[in-house]
Amino acid sequence: MDAAKIARINELARKSRTETGLTPEEKEEQMALRLEYRRAVVGNLRGQLDNTVIIRPDGSSYRPTDHAAQKQTDDSAS
């Protein structure tokens, strides 16, 4: 998400707290921009987590997604 869109989100947030508030068109724009921002944040977090490696005290390592997949396999076998 670019800086101009974030600035617009902040501008709309400030305007919503004034006496005049937002027009219906601005409310729709605000909702769309917030949704786009949330999707960007979740995508960035997912990317970070996909590249995270956990190192155990014994020196071995695993990716949390690998660990979750293994746990599901173990649970299914029971």
Side-chain angles (χ1 to χ4, degrees):
M1 172 159 268
D2 62 5
K5 287 184 179 181
I6 293 174
R8 181 66 178 153
I9 290 171
N10 291 329
E11 179 183 336
L12 290 169
R14 280 190 297 275
K15 186 176 179 187
S16 72
R17 291 188 291 266
T18 64
E19 288 182 27
T20 58
L22 298 175
T23 65
E25 295 82 19
E26 288 173 328
K27 286 181 182 180
E28 287 181 33
E29 179 186 7
Q30 183 183 42
M31 285 178 23
L33 287 170
R34 285 179 173 175
L35 179 61
E36 183 179 345
Y37 180 79
R38 272 189 242 121
R39 285 182 177 158
V41 168
V42 168
N44 289 338
L45 179 59
R46 189 174 311 270
Q48 278 186 325
L49 292 175
D50 287 345
N51 291 310
T52 299
V53 175
I54 307 295
I55 300 176
R56 295 183 179 113
D58 66 0
S60 64
S61 63
Y62 69 94
R63 292 188 183 278
T65 54
D66 297 340
H67 184 70
Q70 181 63 38
K71 184 174 180 179
Q72 286 180 349
T73 303
D74 292 345
D75 289 345
S76 296
S78 299

